[in-house]
Amino acid sequence: MNSNLLSNPISSEVFTSIDLGTNSFKLLIVQAEPSGRSFVPIERLKEPVVLSRESPTSISSQSQARALQSLRKFKSLILSHHVSGDRIRCVATEALRRAENQEEFVDAVFEDVGLKVDVLSGEEEARLVYLGVLQFLPVFEKSVLCVDIGGGSTEFVVGKCGDVKLAVSLKLGHVNLTQMFMKNGIGLKEMRDYIRHAIDESRLAEKLNESDGFEVVVGSSGTIRAIENAVFSGYGADLCDFNLEGYKRDWRFGTRELSSVVAKLCSEGDEELIRREGFFKRRSEFIVAGAVLLEEIFKALGIEDMEVSEYALAEGVIADSLAKAFDGSYDLNANARWRSVMRLATRFSGKKRMTHAIHCAKIAKEIYLGLRKCNDFKVILDDKDLEYLEAACFLHNIGIITGKKGYHKQSYHIIKNGDHLHSYTAEEIELIAMLVRYQRKKFPKLDRAPLKGFTGEAKRKFIILCLITRLSVTLQRNENMDLQEVEFIESSEIFKLVSTSFNHSTSYTEQTHIITISNSTINPVVPRFPAFFISFFQ
């Protein structure tokens, strides 16, 4: 029986993409701004399915079972966010492109989960990867070569100003190369020869020259991000100590750094195997093949330097959906400010901390929207303040990478001194950094630096934004709390946040909490920082 994915009430501004990759399935749920100019990730989930584990040419019953189990988890999350059916897109890549029983698998997914699977061509996959890259890196006006190494294929696309000039898909992936060579004991030399022959046969270098070449190279896959992280952490050079100065550079690595990591990965011995598994975790099974493949791509195309995008196919699918939903008004090059916030957040935060940051930003937005309904606050808070709040929430825990003690201060210094936030004024960067700095511990004295130079109105605004940030950080630490709305009592002397505990495994609301906060704690007239009072009722 077809399972209906629709749930009431539904949200027209929440979009979902599901990427059925050869190695893993990825779910991305985003909140799009009403203008369609940007989106904020609110949920991510990744499942290591490995569709081609049992067979490279068909989807085995075991793989199908793993796939359906993962998609049921995805469905539960989609239902919890009330996503409209026309805002969900599920795409599949190389494993399904070449599967003999593709139609059988697609039908099984629809019957079991209610998802319609769109099996992408290699060229369409490459185009969507390019759109995803444009959401993360400021390369819109440049001629950019995107390289995306997947489990079953590698996509190459040259684009400029949102238009694709060349798209090529090669059946070279870290999963199929591992199965063909690493697990059969054939060896690295034979794998390198195979890769070189495949690239030569495709005439990829000639096609790139015919398309007038490229100005910048961007890698966008999980394999490439893992290699960049290895370079960044000094994996190839046995340097894994944190260095704050290093975090001022952007996402990139060069030929020399790549070769160092590859040489380390190809080292033999139990000690290296243990080290590799400890560093790369679940990706360690396929990372050697992926790294060798990337090194051969560098050699074949004469690549000296590669930038790295955290966004790829899943975000490209979202961008494509937004462009269609907003009748072509979605600007692929819009909101460079927000892109730089997301780059900085993902630069320092792993998956768990990013999940906390996303939850924190969601809570802050609900509180902000609730306060804007009150006349007193509507005068003080403007549209840009929400952007500052969300930026502070996404960046509030980046300093943890230096150690938990005083991480709020480290976060402040990274934001202030790292030259990461683009298109923001110095005053805006200072405000965001201060919201992060004073999310915890003592409040600043209003008659001393850095607030001494603020106007009275700016101080009042900072008080409100700072308290919202503090409250949001506090609430997000309760992992069972899923804030739904902010409801105001008629007197406006106090307001209450109505929240629910949501069990994702059962898709049922378990408890309702009411958090009552005295309005005197965020008085827009008196520039002070009184303690605020929170009471829980279950």
Side-chain angles (χ1 to χ4, degrees):
M1 180 178 294
N2 181 13
S3 301
N4 189 1
L5 280 173
L6 297 182
S7 175
N8 288 316
I10 61 176
S11 173
S12 62
E13 295 172 2
V14 180
F15 289 74
T16 297
S17 71
I18 301 173
D19 170 12
L20 308 185
T22 301
N23 185 40
S24 59
F25 285 9
K26 304 180 188 72
L27 169 71
L28 172 62
I29 302 176
V30 308
Q31 177 77 41
E33 294 303 310
S35 63
R37 287 175 57 85
S38 64
F39 60 83
V40 177
I42 56 177
E43 198 80 64
R44 290 183 185 271
L45 186 59
K46 180 179 178 180
E47 291 284 312
V49 176
V50 193
L51 279 177
S52 61
R53 183 176 292 281
E54 290 80 24
S55 171
T57 58
S58 66
I59 308 301
S60 68
S61 58
Q62 299 97 311
S63 290
Q64 181 169 304
R66 293 194 301 271
L68 293 177
Q69 182 180 14
S70 295
L71 291 174
R72 291 184 199 113
K73 292 182 183 179
F74 289 2
K75 174 185 174 181
S76 177
L77 278 175
I78 292 171
L79 286 172
S80 74
H81 288 281
H82 312 299
V83 185
S84 170
D86 62 350
R87 299 299 197 236
I88 303 167
R89 188 177 180 192
C90 178
V91 300
T93 56
E94 179 63 23
L96 272 183
R97 276 200 293 267
R98 68 186 181 202
E100 298 168 350
N101 57 343
Q102 174 192 122
E103 186 175 347
E104 177 186 328
F105 178 85
V106 169
D107 290 344
V109 170
F110 186 75
E111 288 298 318
D112 191 286
V113 193
L115 286 170
K116 181 180 178 182
V117 178
D118 181 8
V119 182
L120 302 174
S121 67
E123 290 71 22
E124 176 64 3
E125 181 182 352
R127 183 185 75 85
L128 292 172
V129 167
Y130 171 56
L131 294 187
V133 167
L134 292 182
Q135 309 312 299
F136 193 79
L137 293 173
V139 293
F140 183 81
E141 296 179 353
K142 297 180 180 180
S143 180
V144 55
L145 167 64
C146 298
V147 181
D148 189 275
I149 297 176
S153 65
T154 296
E155 272 57 56
F156 301 85
V157 57
V158 177
K160 185 175 184 179
C161 297
D163 296 324
V164 174
K165 298 162 61 179
L166 173 70
V168 176
S169 178
L170 300 185
K171 294 181 180 180
L172 295 170
H174 56 76
V175 172
N176 58 26
L177 287 173
T178 299
Q179 292 171 333
M180 291 170 63
F181 296 96
M182 307 299 292
K183 291 191 174 180
N184 291 330
I186 297 177
L188 290 171
K189 181 181 182 303
E190 289 77 9
M191 182 169 66
R192 287 185 183 275
D193 291 341
Y194 179 84
I195 294 170
R196 291 168 187 166
H197 179 73
I199 295 176
D200 289 342
E201 283 287 300
S202 70
R203 296 184 57 252
L204 179 60
E206 290 88 338
K207 291 176 182 178
L208 289 171
N209 289 331
E210 291 168 2
S211 67
D212 297 327
F214 47 86
E215 299 172 74
V216 61
V217 183
V218 175
S220 57
S221 62
T223 293
I224 294 176
R225 290 196 297 272
I227 293 170
E228 191 277 338
N229 184 48
V231 169
F232 189 63
S233 302
Y235 182 89
D238 290 322
L239 299 173
C240 295
D241 294 331
F242 174 77
N243 179 2
L244 185 59
E245 290 300 315
Y247 281 77
K248 292 184 179 180
R249 69 182 181 84
D250 215 341
W251 298 61
R252 65 175 64 245
F253 59 87
T255 305
R256 183 178 175 181
E257 294 166 308
L258 172 60
S259 297
S260 178
V261 171
V262 172
K264 194 69 176 178
L265 287 171
C266 294
S267 301
E268 298 181 354
D270 293 339
E271 184 178 342
E272 175 54 33
L273 179 61
I274 293 171
R275 188 170 186 267
R276 183 193 310 159
E277 290 177 348
F279 187 89
F280 293 97
K281 305 295 190 297
R282 289 184 303 194
R283 193 174 292 278
S284 63
E285 180 180 2
F286 306 113
I287 192 62
V288 175
V292 170
L293 172 57
L294 184 60
E295 187 176 38
E296 290 301 326
I297 290 171
F298 265 55
K299 293 176 182 177
L301 303 183
I303 298 172
E304 294 292 334
D305 188 70
M306 173 176 276
E307 293 191 44
V308 179
S309 171
E310 179 72 11
Y311 289 179
L313 178 61
E315 291 78 11
V317 171
I318 292 291
D320 196 51
S321 297
L322 289 175
K324 294 173 182 176
F326 293 102
D327 297 323
S329 63
Y330 181 72
D331 185 353
L332 292 170
N333 196 38
N335 215 357
R337 291 156 62 98
W338 190 250
R339 282 201 307 266
S340 67
V341 170
M342 296 306 296
R343 282 200 303 276
L344 178 54
T346 51
R347 166 82 288 177
F348 290 87
S349 300
K351 181 180 178 181
K352 186 174 182 179
R353 287 204 298 274
M354 276 301 295
T355 299
H356 292 165
I358 289 168
H359 190 201
C360 183
K362 179 182 176 183
I363 293 171
K365 182 175 182 179
E366 292 294 340
I367 297 173
Y368 165 88
L369 292 176
L371 287 175
R372 285 273 288 172
K373 294 176 183 177
C374 287
N375 290 331
D376 288 342
F377 294 105
K378 192 172 183 179
V379 174
I380 296 177
L381 299 175
D382 57 38
D383 293 339
K384 277 195 172 183
D385 293 323
L386 177 58
E387 180 183 354
Y388 304 145
L389 265 177
E390 290 184 317
C393 288
F394 269 96
L395 301 174
H396 82 273
N397 57 12
I398 60 175
I400 292 178
I401 199 166
T402 67
K404 290 188 176 181
K405 185 177 181 180
Y407 74 86
H408 56 304
K409 297 178 182 178
Q410 294 292 352
S411 299
Y412 172 86
H413 289 302
I414 292 170
I415 296 168
K416 275 280 293 178
N417 305 320
D419 192 27
H420 293 289
L421 300 186
H422 306 308
S423 299
Y424 285 92
T425 65
E427 291 76 16
E428 288 174 321
I429 293 174
E430 176 70 30
L431 175 59
I432 293 169
M434 285 178 59
L435 290 176
V436 170
R437 165 67 177 82
Y438 293 106
Q439 59 167 295
R440 60 195 298 263
K441 302 294 184 179
K442 294 182 178 180
F443 284 106
K445 295 184 182 299
L446 298 183
D447 57 349
R448 298 182 185 178
L451 291 176
K452 185 176 182 180
F454 281 34
T455 65
E457 181 180 354
K459 288 179 181 179
R460 288 192 291 270
K461 177 176 290 192
F462 177 75
I463 292 170
I464 297 170
L465 295 181
C466 190
L467 285 170
I468 295 174
T469 305
R470 281 195 164 215
L471 182 57
S472 302
V473 171
T474 300
L475 293 177
Q476 68 85 20
R477 289 175 183 153
N478 187 336
E479 296 182 357
N480 291 324
M481 190 171 289
D482 186 10
L483 192 68
Q484 298 297 317
E485 62 178 300
V486 176
E487 179 183 344
F488 283 80
I489 295 176
E490 292 183 4
S491 68
S492 295
E493 290 302 318
I494 61 174
F495 63 88
K496 60 181 180 180
L497 285 68
V498 180
S499 95
T500 59
S501 295
F502 190 83
N503 189 319
H504 291 303
S505 62
T506 62
S507 300
Y508 289 115
T509 298
E510 295 182 333
Q511 291 179 321
T512 298
H513 311 273
I514 300 177
I515 306 167
T516 305
I517 305 174
S518 169
N519 192 27
S520 64
T521 66
I522 44 178
N523 192 320
V525 178
V526 182
R528 59 191 178 90
F529 286 106
F532 55 81
F533 306 93
I534 304 176
S535 58
F536 289 84
F537 301 93
Q538 295 188 3

